[in-house]
């Protein structure tokens, strides 16, 4: 693959066609190692980005490294300008857009909030392992954070600097409301773990409605450690089910199991999602589909800054012109 670790696509560069410049390749490629050697010979040093990506086993900085955009980009002479890097930084902080099963942006119907007003918060707290908050709120754990369901304020809040602040996360809001409106009894967990094909509405999960793991595969197929880090960051507990497998809790009593099967010469890497049978008590097929989107997106975002070894940056801030 001729795309450089930084994301520059050497495929479309005339310098490569003219053989003035060779392709950099990803941080895990043979091309990258050769390029670093060539740069050392020609310039006495090498590209800080390519060297760092190789050192940290990252194929592509923008896709695979949670430290992007790091100082190797902001302090270096190229490849990207300040405006581009600031845009990346800003947009990586955004909540990713969420779509429904028809491809439209997720909207939360007012009726869901109205229906929630009729529920007894103490009963809901018991059923969901949440905690009542003031007279009209409920705090519930979702993956690695507590969220506040503010029923009178009709919003979900996240804790920032010890303050509950409204968050604009329609998928989280929708899934949370569906769950809280439907939960009505307590079901023991772990009795039956099932795949989408074992669910009563198994026919739903085909074509556009298949469970969303494609992007996860694109990101983690060659990076099982990255997958493990992301799952552990979200509070996932390892389970003995595949080459790497985790139980993740979008809600304390709604486990999802993500199974990572490492590919080999015969089989491609695969990610499966399994459910506790009780999930059908709370979610229809479209709700389960949305829940998987929520968790897969969180896995894709992964941890924040990775504290990678970037010590090369001061040594190799070379202008390679
Ligand atoms: S910045 Fe580094 S990795 Fe990117 S194209 Fe230039 S030499 Fe290659
Ligand atoms: S820390 Fe290294 S691997 Fe990560 S974005 Fe920066 S240069 Fe790329």
């Amino acid at each position: 693959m001729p795309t450089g670790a930084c994301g520059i696509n050497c495929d479309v560069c005339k310098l490569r066609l003219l053989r003035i410049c060779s392709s950099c390749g990803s941080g895990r490629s043979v091309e990258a190692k050769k390029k670093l050697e060539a740069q050392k010979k020609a310039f006495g040093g090498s590209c800080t980005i390519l060297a760092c990506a190789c050192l940290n086993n990252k194929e592509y900085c923008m896709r695979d490294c949670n430290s992007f955009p790091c100082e190797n980009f902001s302090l270096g002479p190229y490849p990207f300008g300040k405006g581009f890097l600031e845009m990346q930084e800003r947009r990586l902080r955004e909540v990713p857009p969420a779509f429904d099963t028809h491809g439209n942006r997720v909207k939360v119907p007012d009726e869901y909030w109205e229906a929630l007003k009729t529920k007894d918060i103490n009963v809901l707290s018991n059923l969901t392992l949440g905690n009542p908050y003031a007279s009209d709120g409920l705090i519930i754990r979702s993956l690695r954070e507590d969220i506040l369901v503010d029923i009178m304020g009709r919003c979900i809040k996240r804790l920032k600097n010890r303050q509950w602040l409204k968050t604009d996360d329609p998928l989280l809001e929708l899934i949370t409301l569906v769950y809280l409106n439907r939960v009505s009894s307590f079901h023991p967990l772990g009795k039956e773990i099932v795949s989408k094909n074992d669910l009563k509405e198994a026919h739903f999960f085909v074509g556009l409605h298949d469970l969303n793991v494609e992007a996860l595969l694109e990101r983690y197929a060659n990076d099982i450690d990255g997958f493990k880090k992301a799952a552990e960051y979200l509070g996932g507990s390892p389970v003995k089910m595949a080459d790497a497998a985790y139980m993740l809790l979008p809600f304390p009593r709604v486990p999802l199991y993500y199974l990572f099967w490492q590919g080999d010469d015969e089989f491609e890497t695969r990610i499966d999602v399994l459910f506790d049978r009780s999930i059908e008590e709370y979610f229809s097929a479209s709700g389960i589909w949305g829940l998987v989107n929520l968790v897969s997106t969180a896995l894709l975002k992964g941890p924040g800054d990775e504290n990678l070894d970037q010590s090369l940056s001061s040594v190799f801030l070379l202008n390679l012109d």
Side-chain angles (χ1 to χ4, degrees), residues 6-8 15 21 24 35 39 43 45-50 68 70-82 84-85 316-321:
C6 64
I8 292 281
L15 292 180
C21 188
C24 283
K35 185 76 176 240
Q39 286 176 341
F43 307 112
S46 46
C47 166
T48 171
I49 295 168
L50 194 58
F68 179 83
C70 68
E71 285 194 343
N72 290 332
F73 284 88
S74 56
L75 298 179
Y78 50 66
F80 303 127
K82 195 166 167 261
F84 177 80
L85 295 175
F316 294 118
L317 277 178
L318 292 173
N319 188 336
L320 302 176
D321 287 344

PDB file of all heavy atoms in Angstrom, residues 6-8 15 21 24 35 39 43 45-50 68 70-82 84-85 316-321:
ATOM      1  N   CYS A   6       1.663   8.914   7.347  1.00  0.00           N
ATOM      2  CA  CYS A   6       1.038  10.205   7.651  1.00  0.00           C
ATOM      3  C   CYS A   6      -0.314  10.364   6.967  1.00  0.00           C
ATOM      4  O   CYS A   6      -1.124  11.188   7.371  1.00  0.00           O
ATOM      5  CB  CYS A   6       1.946  11.340   7.197  1.00  0.00           C
ATOM      6  SG  CYS A   6       2.180  11.349   5.405  1.00  0.00           S
ATOM      7  N   GLY A   7      -0.559   9.581   5.930  1.00  0.00           N
ATOM      8  CA  GLY A   7      -1.836   9.696   5.217  1.00  0.00           C
ATOM      9  C   GLY A   7      -1.683  10.248   3.815  1.00  0.00           C
ATOM     10  O   GLY A   7      -2.644  10.268   3.042  1.00  0.00           O
ATOM     11  N   ILE A   8      -0.494  10.730   3.476  1.00  0.00           N
ATOM     12  CA  ILE A   8      -0.262  11.209   2.108  1.00  0.00           C
ATOM     13  C   ILE A   8      -0.337   9.998   1.169  1.00  0.00           C
ATOM     14  O   ILE A   8       0.282   8.969   1.426  1.00  0.00           O
ATOM     15  CB  ILE A   8       1.138  11.856   1.986  1.00  0.00           C
ATOM     16  CG1 ILE A   8       1.194  13.147   2.789  1.00  0.00           C
ATOM     17  CG2 ILE A   8       1.516  12.093   0.526  1.00  0.00           C
ATOM     18  CD1 ILE A   8       0.576  14.354   2.146  1.00  0.00           C
ATOM     19  N   LEU A  15       5.746  12.501  -8.307  1.00  0.00           N
ATOM     20  CA  LEU A  15       7.137  12.246  -7.905  1.00  0.00           C
ATOM     21  C   LEU A  15       7.431  10.749  -7.883  1.00  0.00           C
ATOM     22  O   LEU A  15       8.529  10.302  -8.176  1.00  0.00           O
ATOM     23  CB  LEU A  15       7.406  12.848  -6.521  1.00  0.00           C
ATOM     24  CG  LEU A  15       7.399  14.368  -6.424  1.00  0.00           C
ATOM     25  CD1 LEU A  15       7.693  14.811  -4.986  1.00  0.00           C
ATOM     26  CD2 LEU A  15       8.420  14.983  -7.367  1.00  0.00           C
ATOM     27  N   CYS A  21      10.800  10.107  -6.059  1.00  0.00           N
ATOM     28  CA  CYS A  21      10.539   9.738  -4.666  1.00  0.00           C
ATOM     29  C   CYS A  21       9.895   8.362  -4.634  1.00  0.00           C
ATOM     30  O   CYS A  21       9.088   8.039  -5.488  1.00  0.00           O
ATOM     31  CB  CYS A  21       9.597  10.776  -4.054  1.00  0.00           C
ATOM     32  SG  CYS A  21       9.376  10.589  -2.295  1.00  0.00           S
ATOM     33  N   CYS A  24       6.266   5.841   0.753  1.00  0.00           N
ATOM     34  CA  CYS A  24       6.626   5.670   2.170  1.00  0.00           C
ATOM     35  C   CYS A  24       6.056   4.376   2.744  1.00  0.00           C
ATOM     36  O   CYS A  24       6.709   3.681   3.499  1.00  0.00           O
ATOM     37  CB  CYS A  24       6.091   6.829   2.990  1.00  0.00           C
ATOM     38  SG  CYS A  24       7.077   8.291   2.801  1.00  0.00           S
ATOM     39  N   LYS A  35      12.333   3.183   3.265  1.00  0.00           N
ATOM     40  CA  LYS A  35      12.328   4.637   3.121  1.00  0.00           C
ATOM     41  C   LYS A  35      13.135   5.296   4.240  1.00  0.00           C
ATOM     42  O   LYS A  35      13.912   6.228   4.006  1.00  0.00           O
ATOM     43  CB  LYS A  35      10.877   5.136   3.135  1.00  0.00           C
ATOM     44  CG  LYS A  35      10.708   6.619   2.878  1.00  0.00           C
ATOM     45  CD  LYS A  35      10.894   6.962   1.410  1.00  0.00           C
ATOM     46  CE  LYS A  35      10.622   8.416   1.123  1.00  0.00           C
ATOM     47  NZ  LYS A  35       9.566   8.648   0.185  1.00  0.00           N
ATOM     48  N   GLN A  39      16.285   7.638   3.686  1.00  0.00           N
ATOM     49  CA  GLN A  39      16.321   9.018   4.198  1.00  0.00           C
ATOM     50  C   GLN A  39      17.557   9.231   5.062  1.00  0.00           C
ATOM     51  O   GLN A  39      18.208  10.281   4.991  1.00  0.00           O
ATOM     52  CB  GLN A  39      15.054   9.301   5.020  1.00  0.00           C
ATOM     53  CG  GLN A  39      13.805   9.471   4.159  1.00  0.00           C
ATOM     54  CD  GLN A  39      12.542   9.644   4.983  1.00  0.00           C
ATOM     55  OE1 GLN A  39      12.502   9.309   6.168  1.00  0.00           O
ATOM     56  NE2 GLN A  39      11.493  10.159   4.353  1.00  0.00           N
ATOM     57  N   PHE A  43      19.813  12.102   3.988  1.00  0.00           N
ATOM     58  CA  PHE A  43      19.680  13.348   4.766  1.00  0.00           C
ATOM     59  C   PHE A  43      20.341  13.268   6.142  1.00  0.00           C
ATOM     60  O   PHE A  43      20.344  14.241   6.889  1.00  0.00           O
ATOM     61  CB  PHE A  43      18.196  13.690   4.975  1.00  0.00           C
ATOM     62  CG  PHE A  43      17.400  13.726   3.698  1.00  0.00           C
ATOM     63  CD1 PHE A  43      16.434  12.768   3.448  1.00  0.00           C
ATOM     64  CD2 PHE A  43      17.612  14.714   2.755  1.00  0.00           C
ATOM     65  CE1 PHE A  43      15.689  12.795   2.284  1.00  0.00           C
ATOM     66  CE2 PHE A  43      16.868  14.744   1.579  1.00  0.00           C
ATOM     67  CZ  PHE A  43      15.910  13.788   1.335  1.00  0.00           C
ATOM     68  N   GLY A  45      19.109  11.715   8.564  1.00  0.00           N
ATOM     69  CA  GLY A  45      18.008  11.549   9.534  1.00  0.00           C
ATOM     70  C   GLY A  45      16.783  11.109   8.763  1.00  0.00           C
ATOM     71  O   GLY A  45      16.842  10.945   7.541  1.00  0.00           O
ATOM     72  N   SER A  46      15.701  10.888   9.481  1.00  0.00           N
ATOM     73  CA  SER A  46      14.522  10.421   8.751  1.00  0.00           C
ATOM     74  C   SER A  46      13.268  11.142   9.211  1.00  0.00           C
ATOM     75  O   SER A  46      13.285  11.853  10.219  1.00  0.00           O
ATOM     76  CB  SER A  46      14.370   8.912   8.934  1.00  0.00           C
ATOM     77  OG  SER A  46      14.531   8.580  10.278  1.00  0.00           O
ATOM     78  N   CYS A  47      12.214  10.926   8.461  1.00  0.00           N
ATOM     79  CA  CYS A  47      10.946  11.605   8.758  1.00  0.00           C
ATOM     80  C   CYS A  47      10.457  11.190  10.148  1.00  0.00           C
ATOM     81  O   CYS A  47      10.294  10.006  10.435  1.00  0.00           O
ATOM     82  CB  CYS A  47       9.903  11.231   7.715  1.00  0.00           C
ATOM     83  SG  CYS A  47       8.237  11.683   8.212  1.00  0.00           S
ATOM     84  N   THR A  48      10.254  12.179  10.991  1.00  0.00           N
ATOM     85  CA  THR A  48       9.841  11.903  12.371  1.00  0.00           C
ATOM     86  C   THR A  48       8.523  11.143  12.437  1.00  0.00           C
ATOM     87  O   THR A  48       8.305  10.287  13.300  1.00  0.00           O
ATOM     88  CB  THR A  48       9.745  13.233  13.150  1.00  0.00           C
ATOM     89  OG1 THR A  48       9.162  12.982  14.386  1.00  0.00           O
ATOM     90  CG2 THR A  48       8.935  14.270  12.438  1.00  0.00           C
ATOM     91  N   ILE A  49       7.630  11.427  11.487  1.00  0.00           N
ATOM     92  CA  ILE A  49       6.306  10.783  11.508  1.00  0.00           C
ATOM     93  C   ILE A  49       6.430   9.310  11.136  1.00  0.00           C
ATOM     94  O   ILE A  49       5.923   8.428  11.835  1.00  0.00           O
ATOM     95  CB  ILE A  49       5.355  11.516  10.538  1.00  0.00           C
ATOM     96  CG1 ILE A  49       5.111  12.935  11.037  1.00  0.00           C
ATOM     97  CG2 ILE A  49       4.051  10.748  10.371  1.00  0.00           C
ATOM     98  CD1 ILE A  49       4.434  13.844  10.041  1.00  0.00           C
ATOM     99  N   LEU A  50       7.134   9.074  10.051  1.00  0.00           N
ATOM    100  CA  LEU A  50       7.282   7.688   9.592  1.00  0.00           C
ATOM    101  C   LEU A  50       8.031   6.860  10.646  1.00  0.00           C
ATOM    102  O   LEU A  50       7.653   5.728  10.954  1.00  0.00           O
ATOM    103  CB  LEU A  50       8.022   7.676   8.251  1.00  0.00           C
ATOM    104  CG  LEU A  50       7.984   6.370   7.475  1.00  0.00           C
ATOM    105  CD1 LEU A  50       6.552   5.943   7.171  1.00  0.00           C
ATOM    106  CD2 LEU A  50       8.759   6.500   6.163  1.00  0.00           C
ATOM    107  N   PHE A  68      -2.988  11.308  17.452  1.00  0.00           N
ATOM    108  CA  PHE A  68      -3.054  12.198  16.294  1.00  0.00           C
ATOM    109  C   PHE A  68      -4.032  13.337  16.547  1.00  0.00           C
ATOM    110  O   PHE A  68      -5.115  13.097  17.061  1.00  0.00           O
ATOM    111  CB  PHE A  68      -3.501  11.422  15.044  1.00  0.00           C
ATOM    112  CG  PHE A  68      -3.606  12.312  13.837  1.00  0.00           C
ATOM    113  CD1 PHE A  68      -2.489  12.618  13.091  1.00  0.00           C
ATOM    114  CD2 PHE A  68      -4.832  12.861  13.476  1.00  0.00           C
ATOM    115  CE1 PHE A  68      -2.581  13.467  11.989  1.00  0.00           C
ATOM    116  CE2 PHE A  68      -4.927  13.708  12.380  1.00  0.00           C
ATOM    117  CZ  PHE A  68      -3.807  13.999  11.638  1.00  0.00           C
ATOM    118  N   CYS A  70      -0.365  14.737  16.686  1.00  0.00           N
ATOM    119  CA  CYS A  70       0.645  14.929  17.732  1.00  0.00           C
ATOM    120  C   CYS A  70       1.649  16.001  17.322  1.00  0.00           C
ATOM    121  O   CYS A  70       1.555  16.586  16.252  1.00  0.00           O
ATOM    122  CB  CYS A  70       1.370  13.609  17.965  1.00  0.00           C
ATOM    123  SG  CYS A  70       2.370  13.161  16.526  1.00  0.00           S
ATOM    124  N   GLU A  71       2.642  16.191  18.175  1.00  0.00           N
ATOM    125  CA  GLU A  71       3.651  17.238  17.909  1.00  0.00           C
ATOM    126  C   GLU A  71       4.478  16.951  16.662  1.00  0.00           C
ATOM    127  O   GLU A  71       5.015  17.864  16.047  1.00  0.00           O
ATOM    128  CB  GLU A  71       4.586  17.357  19.107  1.00  0.00           C
ATOM    129  CG  GLU A  71       3.954  18.063  20.269  1.00  0.00           C
ATOM    130  CD  GLU A  71       4.964  18.482  21.313  1.00  0.00           C
ATOM    131  OE1 GLU A  71       6.092  17.954  21.296  1.00  0.00           O
ATOM    132  OE2 GLU A  71       4.608  19.338  22.135  1.00  0.00           O
ATOM    133  N   ASN A  72       4.602  15.687  16.325  1.00  0.00           N
ATOM    134  CA  ASN A  72       5.370  15.391  15.109  1.00  0.00           C
ATOM    135  C   ASN A  72       4.727  16.060  13.891  1.00  0.00           C
ATOM    136  O   ASN A  72       5.395  16.389  12.916  1.00  0.00           O
ATOM    137  CB  ASN A  72       5.446  13.872  14.882  1.00  0.00           C
ATOM    138  CG  ASN A  72       6.334  13.200  15.907  1.00  0.00           C
ATOM    139  OD1 ASN A  72       7.258  13.824  16.430  1.00  0.00           O
ATOM    140  ND2 ASN A  72       6.056  11.947  16.213  1.00  0.00           N
ATOM    141  N   PHE A  73       3.430  16.251  13.978  1.00  0.00           N
ATOM    142  CA  PHE A  73       2.736  16.959  12.892  1.00  0.00           C
ATOM    143  C   PHE A  73       2.757  18.463  13.116  1.00  0.00           C
ATOM    144  O   PHE A  73       3.055  19.227  12.203  1.00  0.00           O
ATOM    145  CB  PHE A  73       1.277  16.476  12.789  1.00  0.00           C
ATOM    146  CG  PHE A  73       1.138  15.129  12.137  1.00  0.00           C
ATOM    147  CD1 PHE A  73       1.218  13.967  12.882  1.00  0.00           C
ATOM    148  CD2 PHE A  73       0.939  15.020  10.761  1.00  0.00           C
ATOM    149  CE1 PHE A  73       1.096  12.720  12.281  1.00  0.00           C
ATOM    150  CE2 PHE A  73       0.827  13.782  10.158  1.00  0.00           C
ATOM    151  CZ  PHE A  73       0.898  12.626  10.912  1.00  0.00           C
ATOM    152  N   SER A  74       2.436  18.884  14.352  1.00  0.00           N
ATOM    153  CA  SER A  74       2.292  20.326  14.565  1.00  0.00           C
ATOM    154  C   SER A  74       3.633  21.060  14.536  1.00  0.00           C
ATOM    155  O   SER A  74       3.699  22.231  14.162  1.00  0.00           O
ATOM    156  CB  SER A  74       1.553  20.610  15.870  1.00  0.00           C
ATOM    157  OG  SER A  74       2.221  19.998  16.940  1.00  0.00           O
ATOM    158  N   LEU A  75       4.722  20.376  14.907  1.00  0.00           N
ATOM    159  CA  LEU A  75       6.021  21.058  14.910  1.00  0.00           C
ATOM    160  C   LEU A  75       6.806  20.871  13.608  1.00  0.00           C
ATOM    161  O   LEU A  75       7.719  21.618  13.327  1.00  0.00           O
ATOM    162  CB  LEU A  75       6.890  20.552  16.075  1.00  0.00           C
ATOM    163  CG  LEU A  75       6.339  20.793  17.480  1.00  0.00           C
ATOM    164  CD1 LEU A  75       7.280  20.234  18.527  1.00  0.00           C
ATOM    165  CD2 LEU A  75       6.112  22.283  17.717  1.00  0.00           C
ATOM    166  N   GLY A  76       6.400  19.851  12.869  1.00  0.00           N
ATOM    167  CA  GLY A  76       7.178  19.545  11.661  1.00  0.00           C
ATOM    168  C   GLY A  76       6.867  20.491  10.509  1.00  0.00           C
ATOM    169  O   GLY A  76       5.853  21.185  10.533  1.00  0.00           O
ATOM    170  N   PRO A  77       7.736  20.509   9.531  1.00  0.00           N
ATOM    171  CA  PRO A  77       7.496  21.396   8.386  1.00  0.00           C
ATOM    172  C   PRO A  77       6.347  20.915   7.514  1.00  0.00           C
ATOM    173  O   PRO A  77       5.682  21.718   6.880  1.00  0.00           O
ATOM    174  CB  PRO A  77       8.816  21.348   7.616  1.00  0.00           C
ATOM    175  CG  PRO A  77       9.496  20.080   8.033  1.00  0.00           C
ATOM    176  CD  PRO A  77       9.005  19.767   9.407  1.00  0.00           C
ATOM    177  N   TYR A  78       6.082  19.650   7.469  1.00  0.00           N
ATOM    178  CA  TYR A  78       4.963  19.113   6.719  1.00  0.00           C
ATOM    179  C   TYR A  78       4.579  17.744   7.280  1.00  0.00           C
ATOM    180  O   TYR A  78       5.246  17.260   8.180  1.00  0.00           O
ATOM    181  CB  TYR A  78       5.270  19.039   5.211  1.00  0.00           C
ATOM    182  CG  TYR A  78       6.554  18.392   4.788  1.00  0.00           C
ATOM    183  CD1 TYR A  78       6.780  17.026   4.984  1.00  0.00           C
ATOM    184  CD2 TYR A  78       7.556  19.147   4.185  1.00  0.00           C
ATOM    185  CE1 TYR A  78       7.954  16.447   4.573  1.00  0.00           C
ATOM    186  CE2 TYR A  78       8.748  18.557   3.776  1.00  0.00           C
ATOM    187  CZ  TYR A  78       8.948  17.211   3.986  1.00  0.00           C
ATOM    188  OH  TYR A  78      10.120  16.641   3.583  1.00  0.00           O
ATOM    189  N   PRO A  79       3.545  17.091   6.816  1.00  0.00           N
ATOM    190  CA  PRO A  79       2.845  17.307   5.545  1.00  0.00           C
ATOM    191  C   PRO A  79       1.603  18.206   5.625  1.00  0.00           C
ATOM    192  O   PRO A  79       1.119  18.633   4.581  1.00  0.00           O
ATOM    193  CB  PRO A  79       2.411  15.889   5.160  1.00  0.00           C
ATOM    194  CG  PRO A  79       2.177  15.220   6.466  1.00  0.00           C
ATOM    195  CD  PRO A  79       3.186  15.803   7.416  1.00  0.00           C
ATOM    196  N   PHE A  80       1.063  18.490   6.817  1.00  0.00           N
ATOM    197  CA  PHE A  80      -0.230  19.184   6.848  1.00  0.00           C
ATOM    198  C   PHE A  80      -0.108  20.552   7.488  1.00  0.00           C
ATOM    199  O   PHE A  80       0.687  20.756   8.403  1.00  0.00           O
ATOM    200  CB  PHE A  80      -1.268  18.354   7.624  1.00  0.00           C
ATOM    201  CG  PHE A  80      -1.454  16.968   7.072  1.00  0.00           C
ATOM    202  CD1 PHE A  80      -1.352  15.859   7.895  1.00  0.00           C
ATOM    203  CD2 PHE A  80      -1.727  16.772   5.724  1.00  0.00           C
ATOM    204  CE1 PHE A  80      -1.516  14.577   7.393  1.00  0.00           C
ATOM    205  CE2 PHE A  80      -1.896  15.497   5.211  1.00  0.00           C
ATOM    206  CZ  PHE A  80      -1.787  14.393   6.041  1.00  0.00           C
ATOM    207  N   GLY A  81      -0.961  21.463   7.031  1.00  0.00           N
ATOM    208  CA  GLY A  81      -0.962  22.824   7.574  1.00  0.00           C
ATOM    209  C   GLY A  81      -1.726  22.890   8.893  1.00  0.00           C
ATOM    210  O   GLY A  81      -2.463  21.977   9.267  1.00  0.00           O
ATOM    211  N   LYS A  82      -1.554  24.042   9.571  1.00  0.00           N
ATOM    212  CA  LYS A  82      -2.163  24.265  10.882  1.00  0.00           C
ATOM    213  C   LYS A  82      -3.680  24.120  10.820  1.00  0.00           C
ATOM    214  O   LYS A  82      -4.301  23.499  11.679  1.00  0.00           O
ATOM    215  CB  LYS A  82      -1.789  25.693  11.312  1.00  0.00           C
ATOM    216  CG  LYS A  82      -2.002  26.007  12.735  1.00  0.00           C
ATOM    217  CD  LYS A  82      -1.280  27.319  13.078  1.00  0.00           C
ATOM    218  CE  LYS A  82      -1.718  27.849  14.414  1.00  0.00           C
ATOM    219  NZ  LYS A  82      -2.711  28.877  14.399  1.00  0.00           N
ATOM    220  N   PHE A  84      -5.592  22.417   8.827  1.00  0.00           N
ATOM    221  CA  PHE A  84      -6.027  21.024   8.690  1.00  0.00           C
ATOM    222  C   PHE A  84      -5.899  20.291  10.025  1.00  0.00           C
ATOM    223  O   PHE A  84      -6.799  19.564  10.448  1.00  0.00           O
ATOM    224  CB  PHE A  84      -5.190  20.324   7.618  1.00  0.00           C
ATOM    225  CG  PHE A  84      -5.525  18.868   7.459  1.00  0.00           C
ATOM    226  CD1 PHE A  84      -6.623  18.460   6.721  1.00  0.00           C
ATOM    227  CD2 PHE A  84      -4.751  17.888   8.080  1.00  0.00           C
ATOM    228  CE1 PHE A  84      -6.942  17.116   6.594  1.00  0.00           C
ATOM    229  CE2 PHE A  84      -5.062  16.538   7.956  1.00  0.00           C
ATOM    230  CZ  PHE A  84      -6.153  16.157   7.203  1.00  0.00           C
ATOM    231  N   LEU A  85      -4.773  20.500  10.701  1.00  0.00           N
ATOM    232  CA  LEU A  85      -4.557  19.796  11.976  1.00  0.00           C
ATOM    233  C   LEU A  85      -5.552  20.255  13.042  1.00  0.00           C
ATOM    234  O   LEU A  85      -6.084  19.453  13.806  1.00  0.00           O
ATOM    235  CB  LEU A  85      -3.119  20.007  12.460  1.00  0.00           C
ATOM    236  CG  LEU A  85      -2.042  19.402  11.547  1.00  0.00           C
ATOM    237  CD1 LEU A  85      -0.650  19.776  12.048  1.00  0.00           C
ATOM    238  CD2 LEU A  85      -2.162  17.879  11.481  1.00  0.00           C
ATOM    239  N   PHE A 316      14.671  14.347  14.880  1.00  0.00           N
ATOM    240  CA  PHE A 316      14.539  14.217  13.431  1.00  0.00           C
ATOM    241  C   PHE A 316      13.602  15.245  12.797  1.00  0.00           C
ATOM    242  O   PHE A 316      12.883  14.942  11.873  1.00  0.00           O
ATOM    243  CB  PHE A 316      14.047  12.809  13.072  1.00  0.00           C
ATOM    244  CG  PHE A 316      15.048  11.750  13.400  1.00  0.00           C
ATOM    245  CD1 PHE A 316      14.748  10.770  14.327  1.00  0.00           C
ATOM    246  CD2 PHE A 316      16.295  11.747  12.797  1.00  0.00           C
ATOM    247  CE1 PHE A 316      15.676   9.793  14.629  1.00  0.00           C
ATOM    248  CE2 PHE A 316      17.222  10.762  13.105  1.00  0.00           C
ATOM    249  CZ  PHE A 316      16.911   9.789  14.030  1.00  0.00           C
ATOM    250  N   LEU A 317      13.558  16.415  13.368  1.00  0.00           N
ATOM    251  CA  LEU A 317      12.728  17.431  12.728  1.00  0.00           C
ATOM    252  C   LEU A 317      13.451  17.981  11.509  1.00  0.00           C
ATOM    253  O   LEU A 317      13.940  19.100  11.491  1.00  0.00           O
ATOM    254  CB  LEU A 317      12.404  18.559  13.702  1.00  0.00           C
ATOM    255  CG  LEU A 317      11.231  18.272  14.620  1.00  0.00           C
ATOM    256  CD1 LEU A 317      11.010  19.420  15.569  1.00  0.00           C
ATOM    257  CD2 LEU A 317       9.972  18.024  13.811  1.00  0.00           C
ATOM    258  N   LEU A 318      13.563  17.132  10.539  1.00  0.00           N
ATOM    259  CA  LEU A 318      14.329  17.504   9.356  1.00  0.00           C
ATOM    260  C   LEU A 318      13.438  18.028   8.258  1.00  0.00           C
ATOM    261  O   LEU A 318      12.307  17.607   8.113  1.00  0.00           O
ATOM    262  CB  LEU A 318      15.034  16.256   8.808  1.00  0.00           C
ATOM    263  CG  LEU A 318      16.134  15.669   9.660  1.00  0.00           C
ATOM    264  CD1 LEU A 318      16.588  14.367   9.056  1.00  0.00           C
ATOM    265  CD2 LEU A 318      17.292  16.643   9.758  1.00  0.00           C
ATOM    266  N   ASN A 319      13.952  18.895   7.484  1.00  0.00           N
ATOM    267  CA  ASN A 319      13.255  19.259   6.271  1.00  0.00           C
ATOM    268  C   ASN A 319      13.819  18.355   5.176  1.00  0.00           C
ATOM    269  O   ASN A 319      15.006  18.401   4.879  1.00  0.00           O
ATOM    270  CB  ASN A 319      13.537  20.737   5.951  1.00  0.00           C
ATOM    271  CG  ASN A 319      12.670  21.180   4.805  1.00  0.00           C
ATOM    272  OD1 ASN A 319      12.230  20.348   4.004  1.00  0.00           O
ATOM    273  ND2 ASN A 319      12.419  22.468   4.735  1.00  0.00           N
ATOM    274  N   LEU A 320      12.965  17.490   4.666  1.00  0.00           N
ATOM    275  CA  LEU A 320      13.465  16.474   3.740  1.00  0.00           C
ATOM    276  C   LEU A 320      13.422  16.911   2.286  1.00  0.00           C
ATOM    277  O   LEU A 320      13.470  16.084   1.395  1.00  0.00           O
ATOM    278  CB  LEU A 320      12.654  15.177   3.916  1.00  0.00           C
ATOM    279  CG  LEU A 320      12.685  14.589   5.329  1.00  0.00           C
ATOM    280  CD1 LEU A 320      11.787  13.372   5.420  1.00  0.00           C
ATOM    281  CD2 LEU A 320      14.084  14.208   5.736  1.00  0.00           C
ATOM    282  N   ASP A 321      13.311  18.198   2.043  1.00  0.00           N
ATOM    283  CA  ASP A 321      13.260  18.651   0.634  1.00  0.00           C
ATOM    284  C   ASP A 321      14.522  18.269  -0.120  1.00  0.00           C
ATOM    285  O   ASP A 321      15.603  18.345   0.414  1.00  0.00           O
ATOM    286  CB  ASP A 321      13.132  20.179   0.571  1.00  0.00           C
ATOM    287  CG  ASP A 321      11.730  20.589   0.968  1.00  0.00           C
ATOM    288  OD1 ASP A 321      10.840  19.711   0.968  1.00  0.00           O
ATOM    289  OD2 ASP A 321      11.551  21.776   1.289  1.00  0.00           O
TER     290      ASP A 321
END
